[in-house]
Amino acid sequence: MTDRAPIPRDPSNDYTPEMAERRAAFLRERTGVTLDHVRRCSFDPSVLPGNIENFVGVAQVPIGLAGPLRIDGEHAHGDFYVPLATTEGTLVASYSRGMRVLTECGGVRATVVKRSMQRSPVFMFGSALEARDFGEWVGENFEGIKAAAECTTRVGRLVEIEQYAVANLLYLRFDYTTGDAAGQNMSGKATFAACEWIRESHPDHPKYMLSGNIDTDKKHSAINTLRTRGRRVVAEAVIRSDVLERIMRVDTRTLFRARQISNTGALLAGAASNGPHAANGITAMFIATGQDVANVSESHAGITYAQLLDNGDYYWSVTLTSLIVASYGGGTGLPTQRECLELMGCYGQGKADRLAEIVAAVVLAGDVSLGSAVLAGDWVTSHERLGRNRP
Amino acid sequence: MTDRAPIPRDPSNDYTPEMAERRAAFLRERTGVTLDHVRRCSFDPSVLPGNIENFVGVAQVPIGLAGPLRIDGEHAHGDFYVPLATTEGTLVASYSRGMRVLTECGGVRATVVKRSMQRSPVFMFGSALEARDFGEWVGENFEGIKAAAECTTRVGRLVEIEQYAVANLLYLRFDYTTGDAAGQNMSGKATFAACEWIRESHPDHPKYMLSGNIDTDKKHSAINTLRTRGRRVVAEAVIRSDVLERIMRVDTRTLFRARQISNTGALLAGAASNGPHAANGITAMFIATGQDVANVSESHAGITYAQLLDNGDYYWSVTLTSLIVASYGGGTGLPTQRECLELMGCYGQGKADRLAEIVAAVVLAGDVSLGSAVLAGDWVTSHERLGRNRP
Amino acid sequence: MTDRAPIPRDPSNDYTPEMAERRAAFLRERTGVTLDHVRRCSFDPSVLPGNIENFVGVAQVPIGLAGPLRIDGEHAHGDFYVPLATTEGTLVASYSRGMRVLTECGGVRATVVKRSMQRSPVFMFGSALEARDFGEWVGENFEGIKAAAECTTRVGRLVEIEQYAVANLLYLRFDYTTGDAAGQNMSGKATFAACEWIRESHPDHPKYMLSGNIDTDKKHSAINTLRTRGRRVVAEAVIRSDVLERIMRVDTRTLFRARQISNTGALLAGAASNGPHAANGITAMFIATGQDVANVSESHAGITYAQLLDNGDYYWSVTLTSLIVASYGGGTGLPTQRECLELMGCYGQGKADRLAEIVAAVVLAGDVSLGSAVLAGDWVTSHERLGRNRP
Amino acid sequence: MTDRAPIPRDPSNDYTPEMAERRAAFLRERTGVTLDHVRRCSFDPSVLPGNIENFVGVAQVPIGLAGPLRIDGEHAHGDFYVPLATTEGTLVASYSRGMRVLTECGGVRATVVKRSMQRSPVFMFGSALEARDFGEWVGENFEGIKAAAECTTRVGRLVEIEQYAVANLLYLRFDYTTGDAAGQNMSGKATFAACEWIRESHPDHPKYMLSGNIDTDKKHSAINTLRTRGRRVVAEAVIRSDVLERIMRVDTRTLFRARQISNTGALLAGAASNGPHAANGITAMFIATGQDVANVSESHAGITYAQLLDNGDYYWSVTLTSLIVASYGGGTGLPTQRECLELMGCYGQGKADRLAEIVAAVVLAGDVSLGSAVLAGDWVTSHERLGRNRP
């Protein structure tokens, strides 16, 4: 044992202003720091079970409003005002500028092209041959496995079980649709039930681990880029050369030339994305709307694909391959987060696709803006002018 | 032109409660949504220039307290209580449990092993030969380039210019130390000045773009993992087998076996990290402490390396290769953010290394916890019990 | 036009000793070099149509004999003597030593766990939505596509069409089994027929390119490692600690420790393989047996997975994820190549799996040898003693 | 022990026709296979020590002649006829066609832009802090290390020691220039001497392994693509649109459009190269000229970068990042191999750069040919017509 000073907790009901205050006092005593601002939240801690433990207050992250952004998606249609929670100066201004370009060009088409959330157990055998035979068994027993998995969830659906054989192991990748939830937990529970069913049903009762690390939860991976994690969403627009020159002071030919060099740089660097800065918009929207912000690690990956059209206009697209969003569950129901979702008509059931389309459209707007600004030579200067809270 | 309804702004002074309210009213009118909670922030908007534009309110992200975590670093020394801003249930509890294990085992050694922030211009030539000759010129004129770069900054220091030749292009990667700032803007400005100096000084006045996309700002990349972006930090500990079994109900032999399988899975999947979930702790600390949260895209990358020792204890380390933190500038000075930094003695100049060490130690704690919990079989169940705000 | 001096050809019959001699004379005249040895081949050029154009002679690559290697596979069973064509001193000796270790330990289990050869067309659309809808159409019309593809081949079977959506493009990856041929051409022809069928059958008659570069023919890729290209083969063995110490002078504990470091190095470096030198054995066998040696680029990728067993023995496996071999067609029927295949009972129909198993087993032998020699400290010295044809 | 039937060897002199025949007889007896063609080599085995062990004969790989290819390099200048050793039908014809295009367009510029061969030891410490301090020591003692390394070699020069810190390990990457040898052994010996010097000179006498697997010998890796392995060579040409249309029946606009899609495919697939088929030309030249063909695994990696010029012409370049070639040592002095090198004026000292330039130029020719043929729609048919030795 060691002389740890544990954080005060009340096992009977820890989600009270009193307990938050008790912890703040404990910190004050230990560190001399008073949590004046952290302590001032606008809601009662009783809404927080399932979202936090050892609650002590809130981080207040400034929200700026960007927009309007015209979107022409299957689920999002119209002009949107987007709440961006960030502390990075110029970010909201930059995204707004890109939104203006896109809106003046007629807006962004946004399309969810695939839905797939994973849990990836690994089964262990005495030999590669047994592992391979087990793989065949899994294929033949897909319906049974699916039934076992789906017992645990109302909305989750097991769509596919990918198989990856290595040594005497068989890595499986269970792919689910999970409705409007991000779905990691849903997928975890369902896969656990499925694995237990497998263990019981298969004559050899094979051993497994619930994750063999190819899910790949909370980290970027090549497998995500290829096979999708969460939603695969495309945002695309035709940028008119006159609009771009007027607003961004850059011509589409220069843009396309720069794209070649950026693509080459991304290939050279082994980058998760060949675009400018998808992570910025995604993160700011994730914080504002109560997403699991750690999923920025996966969600920022993507592929920018552009074409210079014969008339000088510019087809610009971004494909987010691993965008994880929810309109329901997790942090989406918390007070400020829900308000931000509601601003975009994205709170509650049946709204996750809409949110995904908006996020992708916002990413495109930010890329149009920064991708152009760099070439117009005002990139450093705009940071200078607006971003003074920096050394 | 198009019928956009632009967001109200006051060019003379936009950072007032009135303008925030005017924008909220604009939203109410357009969307029918009232920003009750978003509007209630504990501070005056006049502190916000340089952090946000079109300010409308705040996202309130719950902060839970984890700890104590005993750290034995060069800059962080003692027992730390860590504010984690998240909406993901069980996260704080899980990190706390890992901190308990580590603290009872004597704590975490944490070491910043490299500092390097980048801006990566690309220079364009008529042929590969000219590009190569230019590369030699850059090597010979390093001191001049360095002087030009450092003119723009008090703290930034140009340490190295990496060269990557492709076709008739030369990609450069300017590596800086940037003191206690994250340093992306500092590096951008300095590199811009350096490139202008190069353009003027080199007889051919070569053309360049300020970024050739190998920086690789706001995205994970192989080059970051290899060459570092921000800080390269190692957290390491020897986990005693008895402590692990008592608290986490798993033995070190099982842990080590699972590590082999996780390493193999990460290699197979082409993952940015072979560890459990660094992104979770990093993100929660980044939100709490006013970091640029979009840098989770880069910062979550890392390498877990473990050894089963002869006595059954377990050497567990995590190396974060691209951790971007600041103790100064950006969002660090905002009210709640600064309080959270002060809790850990990490606000202001001379504290960024300390913060980096703490972040790495927290990541290790989270990995010990989740990495063990999965094997103890209570992973799904702990999410079930605590994480009810999920579908 | 330019003053090119074209190589002499006889359009009516170019595969004669006379034409080979005429080209040699042409070279002699142009370069002053006489092809004494190149010209001396043991067979008549009339066997060469379909293998070479502008034939002028042969490269004589020395073949050394390694073995015996005991293999216990599904298709290869017994003790094998393996012809290795190489000019790298110590290679045959090293592989032989590893074979001795494996054979004394009871031999290698080898298993083909997947077969999959690709051609990957890309279809182009006006929008991501059209591309997605097309993807659904492809799924619904799999049987028609399959029938069209299989019309072109007796042995090829279309097993799956993978779909990867990016922008307004849909990349498809047609996966075939191709019997005993490597199958790239077979897959190309079949996919061309399938694409033509698609173009005619789909109401929009979509445009396509026959390869969108995700096949990924003649290059290593993450997608190959994940999804297989050619054959996925596992070779595995339990190395007895006493045998390893006696022959290789290294203990299994040291070996396992080194494996951790090699795994970490491979992850850090973004390597196509975490093993020692699969490419050496594969290349030497490919040259000897008339394989398409350029496929070393794909075939050398793989995953080494090892376990230190409780009794101190060592489970060592290598999984080749993209091994492309043929026992029929291509260069397999040429005189020396066929003899080498026959040595291992691998010539002709029904033998490709057997060859794949042997290749994997040979790779394991080479890895056991080099992986141990490095640790025994005699690696540099053995190169010194045997490898004197080097600077 | 086990009942192995060892291969006959004569420890006193194994490089005789008699011993080759004895092994052939042994095989005949064991397998029933007679090595008629393998046994017929045009030279005496006494030249083979240092290239092979257990010599039994030769693989005869057909050589076709491609060319002329006009090259305008620093070391290669003029029209070259290139010997390609392959069994793949259409390959020589295809490369020849590309060479014709390039030559009619004025030829290929080829430039060696970097030389760097590696051995990458790893040093092991008790903590990350010790590893970091050791790294500083290495930096400070570079001259001593360099002297120790260079003691072992006449031509090798230690240029740089890269450092990569992970956990309590420090991976080093010793970068050498190695003159006209491929240099793996030279680098191995020199690094071994350097490591021994370090172990003795450093106060802690740290332990090391000679390779931590980031060299990355005989495998593709991201680190090779970034940092170079062997030679980094660029081949570039401006393709005239009229020549391309006349010979290849494709226009440059189509070519450039296809390049976008191929780049995107390569990024998606995580490919080692975004070009068509560098491995084909490299492999065929490597076999013909006595290179270490296993290095195709590293050498095939590269980056294709193209620009559509305003006048419709097409700048096409390929950058081989890890091309490993030798004009001296290894297999270069064997009879047929030497003749092939001499054909191109590439045998002996001072010729490796020339060979590297030619290889890169040949790769470009092959890419021009296949990259165009695919689009002209005659790809499948040309394989059909010429490549009949296939199922």
Side-chain angles (χ1 to χ4, degrees):
Chain A
M1 279 306 283
T2 169
D3 52 339
R4 299 166 61 245
I7 296 165
R9 287 182 60 84
D10 179 346
S12 63
N13 182 9
D14 205 51
Y15 294 91
T16 61
E18 292 71 31
M19 282 311 301
E21 176 48 35
R22 234 183 97 192
R23 279 186 282 266
F26 170 83
L27 287 175
R28 203 156 49 233
E29 190 183 324
R30 294 252 140 204
T31 69
V33 177
T34 302
L35 299 181
D36 270 345
H37 290 278
V38 167
R39 289 290 296 114
R40 282 195 258 162
C41 76
S42 70
F43 54 85
D44 192 88
S46 64
V47 306
L48 289 174
N51 289 117
I52 196 85
E53 298 85 44
N54 294 349
F55 174 71
V56 71
V58 294
Q60 297 182 41
V61 185
I63 293 177
L65 204 60
L69 172 59
R70 189 157 297 166
I71 303 177
D72 174 19
E74 289 182 296
H75 306 275
H77 198 87
D79 283 14
F80 291 84
Y81 297 89
V82 180
L84 298 173
T86 183
T87 61
E88 299 304 301
T90 79
L91 193 147
V92 175
S94 174
Y95 273 78
S96 276
R97 196 151 61 147
M99 291 177 185
R100 186 174 152 214
V101 171
L102 288 169
T103 300
E104 292 206 11
C105 291
V108 182
R109 278 171 299 174
T111 315
V112 175
V113 297
K114 191 175 176 185
R115 293 166 194 85
S116 189
M117 179 47 69
Q118 292 78 30
R119 182 51 53 190
S120 295
V122 57
F123 283 78
M124 297 159 242
F125 298 90
S127 70
L129 188 56
E130 291 169 58
R132 187 192 71 190
D133 290 346
F134 172 73
E136 286 170 18
W137 186 92
V138 167
E140 290 157 5
N141 288 272
F142 179 74
E143 290 307 324
I145 298 169
K146 180 179 167 71
E150 295 181 358
C151 265
T152 63
T153 164
R154 272 178 311 103
V155 299
R157 292 293 167 265
L158 178 62
V159 175
E160 186 184 355
I161 303 175
E162 305 171 54
Q163 301 193 4
Y164 300 96
V166 178
N168 53 12
L169 308 169
L170 192 68
Y171 290 81
L172 301 178
R173 203 167 189 252
F174 282 62
D175 296 309
Y176 297 87
T177 57
T178 61
D180 295 296
Q184 293 101 324
N185 296 326
M186 187 191 298
S187 303
K189 278 171 57 183
T191 305
F192 181 62
C195 288
E196 287 294 301
W197 185 88
I198 290 171
R199 194 168 56 80
E200 283 162 30
S201 308
H202 188 279
D204 298 341
H205 311 302
K207 281 191 288 190
Y208 69 93
M209 272 169 46
L210 191 53
S211 171
N213 219 8
I214 69 163
D215 331 71
T216 44
D217 194 30
K218 300 286 159 65
K219 42 222 164 227
H220 168 69
S221 68
I223 206 175
N224 284 353
T225 295
L226 282 166
R227 307 290 298 176
T228 303
R229 180 164 171 85
R231 277 168 171 82
R232 196 176 194 94
V233 201
V234 180
E236 49 186 350
V238 173
I239 315 280
R240 278 168 36 208
S241 59
D242 60 326
V243 174
L244 195 75
E245 289 196 44
R246 177 163 44 83
I247 302 179
M248 301 301 306
R249 284 170 296 146
V250 69
D251 67 290
T252 52
R253 236 158 257 284
T254 303
L255 211 56
F256 194 49
R257 172 107 171 76
R259 171 84 344 247
Q260 310 304 314
I261 293 175
S262 294
N263 285 348
T264 302
L267 206 68
L268 175 67
S273 161
N274 62 334
H277 66 143
N280 273 331
I282 292 171
T283 304
M285 289 191 71
F286 275 22
I287 297 176
T289 63
Q291 307 301 311
D292 184 348
V293 188
N295 289 134
V296 166
S297 54
E298 295 135 298
S299 300
H300 82 285
I303 297 178
T304 294
Y305 175 80
Q307 280 303 306
L308 183 62
L309 305 182
D310 284 344
N311 66 356
D313 290 350
Y314 194 78
Y315 171 84
W316 195 327
S317 77
V318 63
T319 301
L320 299 176
T321 58
S322 319
L323 181 65
I324 305 178
V325 293
S327 63
Y328 185 71
T332 59
L334 294 181
T336 64
Q337 289 80 351
R338 176 170 174 168
E339 288 175 0
C340 287
L341 284 169
E342 286 175 337
L343 267 188
M344 301 178 289
C346 288
Y347 181 70
Q349 300 201 0
K351 303 295 188 182
D353 284 331
R354 180 180 171 98
L355 180 57
E357 289 178 356
I358 298 172
V359 171
V362 167
V363 165
L364 184 60
D367 286 0
V368 166
S369 179
L370 180 57
S372 303
V374 179
L375 299 174
D378 65 358
W379 181 43
V380 171
T381 49
S382 90
H383 270 83
E384 275 307 271
R385 191 164 38 83
L386 291 171
R388 72 139 205 222
N389 263 10
R390 324 248 174 139
Chain B
M1 278 307 282
T2 169
D3 52 340
R4 299 166 60 245
I7 296 165
R9 286 183 59 83
D10 179 346
S12 63
N13 182 9
D14 205 51
Y15 294 92
T16 60
E18 292 69 32
M19 281 312 300
E21 174 49 36
R22 232 182 101 193
R23 281 186 280 268
F26 170 84
L27 287 176
R28 202 155 51 233
E29 191 183 322
R30 293 255 141 201
T31 67
V33 176
T34 303
L35 299 182
D36 269 347
H37 290 277
V38 166
R39 289 290 296 112
R40 282 195 259 163
C41 75
S42 69
F43 54 86
D44 192 89
S46 63
V47 305
L48 289 174
N51 288 118
I52 197 85
E53 297 85 44
N54 294 348
F55 174 72
V56 71
V58 294
Q60 296 183 41
V61 185
I63 294 178
L65 204 60
L69 172 59
R70 189 158 297 167
I71 302 178
D72 174 19
E74 289 182 295
H75 307 274
H77 199 86
D79 284 13
F80 291 84
Y81 297 89
V82 181
L84 298 172
T86 183
T87 61
E88 299 305 300
T90 78
L91 194 147
V92 175
S94 173
Y95 274 78
S96 276
R97 195 151 60 146
M99 291 176 185
R100 189 175 150 212
V101 171
L102 288 169
T103 300
E104 293 206 10
C105 292
V108 182
R109 277 171 301 174
T111 315
V112 175
V113 296
K114 191 176 176 185
R115 294 165 195 84
S116 190
M117 179 48 69
Q118 291 80 31
R119 182 51 54 190
S120 295
V122 58
F123 283 79
M124 297 158 242
F125 299 90
S127 69
L129 187 56
E130 291 168 59
R132 187 192 72 189
D133 289 348
F134 172 72
E136 286 171 19
W137 186 93
V138 168
E140 289 157 7
N141 289 272
F142 178 74
E143 290 307 324
I145 298 169
K146 179 178 168 72
E150 295 181 359
C151 265
T152 64
T153 165
R154 275 177 308 104
V155 298
R157 291 294 167 263
L158 179 61
V159 176
E160 185 183 356
I161 303 175
E162 306 170 55
Q163 302 193 5
Y164 300 96
V166 178
N168 52 11
L169 309 168
L170 191 68
Y171 291 80
L172 301 179
R173 202 165 189 253
F174 282 62
D175 295 308
Y176 297 88
T177 57
T178 60
D180 295 296
Q184 292 101 326
N185 297 326
M186 187 192 298
S187 304
K189 278 172 56 183
T191 306
F192 181 62
C195 288
E196 287 295 300
W197 185 89
I198 290 171
R199 195 167 56 79
E200 284 161 29
S201 309
H202 188 278
D204 298 340
H205 310 302
K207 281 191 289 188
Y208 69 92
M209 273 168 47
L210 190 53
S211 171
N213 219 8
I214 69 162
D215 327 72
T216 44
D217 194 30
K218 300 286 159 66
K219 42 224 164 224
H220 168 70
S221 67
I223 205 175
N224 284 353
T225 295
L226 282 166
R227 306 290 298 175
T228 302
R229 181 165 170 83
R231 277 167 170 83
R232 196 174 193 96
V233 201
V234 180
E236 49 187 349
V238 173
I239 315 280
R240 280 170 33 209
S241 60
D242 60 325
V243 173
L244 195 76
E245 288 195 44
R246 175 161 47 80
I247 302 179
M248 301 303 306
R249 283 169 295 148
V250 69
D251 65 292
T252 52
R253 237 158 256 286
T254 302
L255 211 56
F256 195 49
R257 172 106 171 78
R259 172 90 334 252
Q260 309 305 312
I261 292 174
S262 294
N263 285 347
T264 303
L267 206 68
L268 176 67
S273 160
N274 62 334
H277 67 143
N280 274 331
I282 292 171
T283 305
M285 288 190 72
F286 274 23
I287 297 176
T289 62
Q291 307 301 310
D292 184 347
V293 188
N295 288 134
V296 165
S297 54
E298 294 134 298
S299 299
H300 82 285
I303 297 178
T304 294
Y305 175 78
Q307 280 303 307
L308 183 62
L309 305 181
D310 284 344
N311 66 355
D313 290 350
Y314 193 78
Y315 171 84
W316 194 328
S317 76
V318 62
T319 302
L320 299 176
T321 59
S322 320
L323 180 66
I324 304 177
V325 293
S327 63
Y328 186 72
T332 58
L334 294 181
T336 63
Q337 288 79 352
R338 178 172 172 165
E339 287 175 0
C340 286
L341 283 169
E342 286 175 337
L343 268 188
M344 301 179 289
C346 288
Y347 180 71
Q349 301 200 0
K351 303 295 189 183
D353 284 331
R354 181 180 170 98
L355 180 57
E357 290 178 356
I358 299 173
V359 171
V362 167
V363 165
L364 184 61
D367 285 0
V368 165
S369 179
L370 180 57
S372 303
V374 178
L375 298 175
D378 66 357
W379 182 44
V380 171
T381 49
S382 91
H383 269 85
E384 275 307 272
R385 191 162 40 82
L386 290 171
R388 78 142 201 219
N389 262 10
R390 323 241 174 147
Chain C
M1 279 306 284
T2 169
D3 51 339
R4 298 166 61 246
I7 295 165
R9 285 183 60 83
D10 179 345
S12 63
N13 182 9
D14 205 51
Y15 294 92
T16 60
E18 292 70 32
M19 281 311 300
E21 175 48 35
R22 232 182 100 192
R23 281 186 280 267
F26 170 84
L27 287 176
R28 202 154 50 231
E29 191 182 326
R30 295 254 140 201
T31 68
V33 177
T34 302
L35 298 182
D36 269 346
H37 290 278
V38 167
R39 289 289 296 113
R40 282 194 257 161
C41 77
S42 70
F43 54 86
D44 192 89
S46 63
V47 306
L48 288 173
N51 288 116
I52 196 84
E53 297 85 43
N54 293 350
F55 174 72
V56 70
V58 294
Q60 297 183 41
V61 185
I63 293 177
L65 204 62
L69 172 58
R70 189 159 297 168
I71 303 177
D72 174 20
E74 290 182 296
H75 307 276
H77 198 87
D79 283 15
F80 291 85
Y81 296 90
V82 180
L84 298 173
T86 183
T87 60
E88 298 305 301
T90 78
L91 194 147
V92 174
S94 174
Y95 273 79
S96 275
R97 196 153 60 147
M99 292 176 184
R100 189 175 149 211
V101 171
L102 288 169
T103 300
E104 293 206 12
C105 291
V108 182
R109 277 170 303 173
T111 315
V112 175
V113 295
K114 190 175 175 185
R115 294 166 194 84
S116 190
M117 178 48 68
Q118 292 79 29
R119 183 51 54 189
S120 295
V122 57
F123 283 78
M124 297 158 242
F125 298 90
S127 70
L129 188 55
E130 291 169 59
R132 186 192 72 189
D133 289 346
F134 172 71
E136 285 170 20
W137 186 92
V138 167
E140 290 157 5
N141 288 271
F142 179 74
E143 290 306 324
I145 298 169
K146 181 178 166 71
E150 295 181 358
C151 265
T152 64
T153 163
R154 273 178 310 102
V155 298
R157 292 292 167 265
L158 179 62
V159 175
E160 186 183 354
I161 303 175
E162 304 170 55
Q163 302 192 6
Y164 300 95
V166 178
N168 53 12
L169 309 168
L170 192 68
Y171 290 81
L172 300 178
R173 202 166 189 252
F174 281 62
D175 296 308
Y176 297 88
T177 56
T178 60
D180 295 296
Q184 292 102 324
N185 296 326
M186 187 191 298
S187 304
K189 279 172 57 184
T191 305
F192 181 62
C195 288
E196 287 294 301
W197 185 89
I198 290 171
R199 195 168 56 80
E200 284 162 28
S201 308
H202 188 279
D204 297 340
H205 310 302
K207 280 191 290 189
Y208 69 92
M209 272 170 46
L210 191 53
S211 172
N213 219 9
I214 69 161
D215 331 69
T216 45
D217 195 30
K218 299 284 158 67
K219 42 222 164 229
H220 168 69
S221 68
I223 205 176
N224 284 353
T225 296
L226 282 167
R227 307 291 297 176
T228 302
R229 182 165 170 85
R231 278 168 170 82
R232 197 175 192 94
V233 200
V234 180
E236 49 187 350
V238 173
I239 314 281
R240 279 169 36 207
S241 59
D242 60 326
V243 173
L244 195 76
E245 288 196 45
R246 177 162 45 82
I247 302 179
M248 300 302 306
R249 284 170 295 146
V250 69
D251 66 291
T252 53
R253 237 159 257 283
T254 302
L255 210 56
F256 195 49
R257 174 107 170 78
R259 172 92 330 255
Q260 310 303 315
I261 293 174
S262 294
N263 285 348
T264 303
L267 207 66
L268 176 68
S273 161
N274 62 335
H277 66 143
N280 274 331
I282 293 171
T283 304
M285 287 190 72
F286 275 23
I287 297 176
T289 63
Q291 308 300 311
D292 185 347
V293 187
N295 289 134
V296 165
S297 54
E298 296 135 297
S299 299
H300 82 285
I303 298 178
T304 295
Y305 175 79
Q307 280 303 307
L308 182 61
L309 305 182
D310 284 344
N311 65 355
D313 290 350
Y314 193 78
Y315 171 83
W316 195 329
S317 76
V318 63
T319 302
L320 299 176
T321 58
S322 319
L323 180 66
I324 304 178
V325 292
S327 63
Y328 185 72
T332 58
L334 294 182
T336 64
Q337 288 80 350
R338 177 171 175 167
E339 287 176 1
C340 286
L341 283 169
E342 286 175 338
L343 267 188
M344 301 178 289
C346 288
Y347 181 71
Q349 301 201 2
K351 303 295 187 180
D353 284 330
R354 180 181 172 98
L355 180 57
E357 290 180 355
I358 298 173
V359 171
V362 167
V363 166
L364 184 60
D367 286 359
V368 166
S369 179
L370 180 58
S372 303
V374 178
L375 299 174
D378 65 359
W379 181 42
V380 171
T381 48
S382 89
H383 270 83
E384 276 306 272
R385 191 162 42 81
L386 291 171
R388 72 141 203 221
N389 262 10
R390 322 240 173 150
Chain D
M1 279 306 284
T2 167
D3 52 338
R4 299 166 61 246
I7 296 165
R9 285 183 60 82
D10 179 346
S12 63
N13 182 9
D14 204 51
Y15 294 91
T16 60
E18 293 70 32
M19 281 311 301
E21 175 48 36
R22 232 182 99 192
R23 281 186 281 267
F26 170 82
L27 287 176
R28 202 156 51 232
E29 191 183 324
R30 293 252 141 201
T31 68
V33 176
T34 301
L35 298 181
D36 268 346
H37 290 277
V38 167
R39 290 290 297 113
R40 282 194 259 163
C41 75
S42 69
F43 54 85
D44 192 90
S46 62
V47 305
L48 289 174
N51 289 117
I52 196 85
E53 298 85 42
N54 294 349
F55 174 72
V56 70
V58 293
Q60 297 183 42
V61 185
I63 293 177
L65 204 60
L69 172 59
R70 190 158 297 168
I71 304 178
D72 174 19
E74 290 181 295
H75 306 276
H77 198 86
D79 283 15
F80 291 84
Y81 296 90
V82 180
L84 298 173
T86 182
T87 60
E88 299 304 301
T90 79
L91 194 147
V92 175
S94 174
Y95 273 78
S96 275
R97 196 152 59 147
M99 291 176 185
R100 188 176 150 211
V101 171
L102 288 169
T103 299
E104 293 205 12
C105 292
V108 182
R109 277 171 301 175
T111 315
V112 176
V113 295
K114 190 175 176 185
R115 295 167 194 83
S116 189
M117 178 47 69
Q118 292 79 28
R119 183 51 54 189
S120 295
V122 58
F123 284 78
M124 297 158 243
F125 299 90
S127 70
L129 187 56
E130 292 168 58
R132 188 192 70 188
D133 290 346
F134 172 72
E136 285 169 20
W137 186 93
V138 167
E140 291 156 5
N141 288 272
F142 179 74
E143 290 307 324
I145 298 170
K146 180 178 167 72
E150 295 181 358
C151 265
T152 64
T153 164
R154 274 177 311 104
V155 298
R157 290 294 166 265
L158 178 63
V159 175
E160 186 183 354
I161 303 175
E162 306 170 55
Q163 302 193 5
Y164 300 95
V166 177
N168 53 11
L169 308 168
L170 192 68
Y171 290 80
L172 300 178
R173 202 166 189 253
F174 282 62
D175 296 308
Y176 296 88
T177 57
T178 60
D180 295 296
Q184 293 101 323
N185 296 326
M186 187 191 301
S187 303
K189 277 172 58 185
T191 306
F192 180 62
C195 288
E196 287 294 301
W197 184 89
I198 290 171
R199 194 167 56 80
E200 283 162 30
S201 308
H202 188 280
D204 297 341
H205 311 302
K207 281 190 290 188
Y208 69 92
M209 272 170 48
L210 191 53
S211 171
N213 219 9
I214 69 162
D215 330 68
T216 43
D217 194 32
K218 302 283 159 69
K219 43 224 163 223
H220 168 69
S221 68
I223 206 175
N224 284 353
T225 295
L226 282 166
R227 307 291 297 176
T228 302
R229 182 167 170 83
R231 275 167 172 84
R232 196 174 193 95
V233 201
V234 181
E236 51 187 350
V238 173
I239 315 279
R240 280 170 34 208
S241 60
D242 60 325
V243 173
L244 195 76
E245 288 196 46
R246 176 162 46 81
I247 302 180
M248 301 302 306
R249 282 169 297 147
V250 69
D251 66 291
T252 53
R253 238 158 256 285
T254 302
L255 211 56
F256 194 48
R257 172 108 172 78
R259 172 87 339 250
Q260 309 305 314
I261 293 175
S262 294
N263 285 348
T264 303
L267 206 67
L268 176 67
S273 161
N274 62 335
H277 65 142
N280 273 331
I282 293 171
T283 305
M285 287 190 72
F286 274 22
I287 297 177
T289 62
Q291 307 301 311
D292 185 347
V293 188
N295 288 134
V296 166
S297 54
E298 295 135 299
S299 300
H300 82 285
I303 297 178
T304 294
Y305 175 79
Q307 280 303 307
L308 183 61
L309 305 181
D310 284 344
N311 66 356
D313 290 350
Y314 194 78
Y315 171 84
W316 194 328
S317 76
V318 64
T319 302
L320 299 177
T321 59
S322 320
L323 181 65
I324 304 177
V325 292
S327 62
Y328 185 72
T332 59
L334 295 182
T336 65
Q337 288 80 350
R338 178 171 174 166
E339 286 175 1
C340 287
L341 284 169
E342 287 175 337
L343 267 188
M344 301 178 290
C346 287
Y347 180 71
Q349 301 201 1
K351 303 295 187 182
D353 283 331
R354 181 181 171 97
L355 180 58
E357 290 179 356
I358 298 174
V359 172
V362 168
V363 165
L364 184 60
D367 285 0
V368 166
S369 179
L370 180 58
S372 303
V374 179
L375 299 173
D378 66 0
W379 181 41
V380 170
T381 48
S382 90
H383 269 84
E384 272 309 271
R385 192 165 39 82
L386 291 171
R388 76 145 200 218
N389 263 10
R390 323 240 174 147

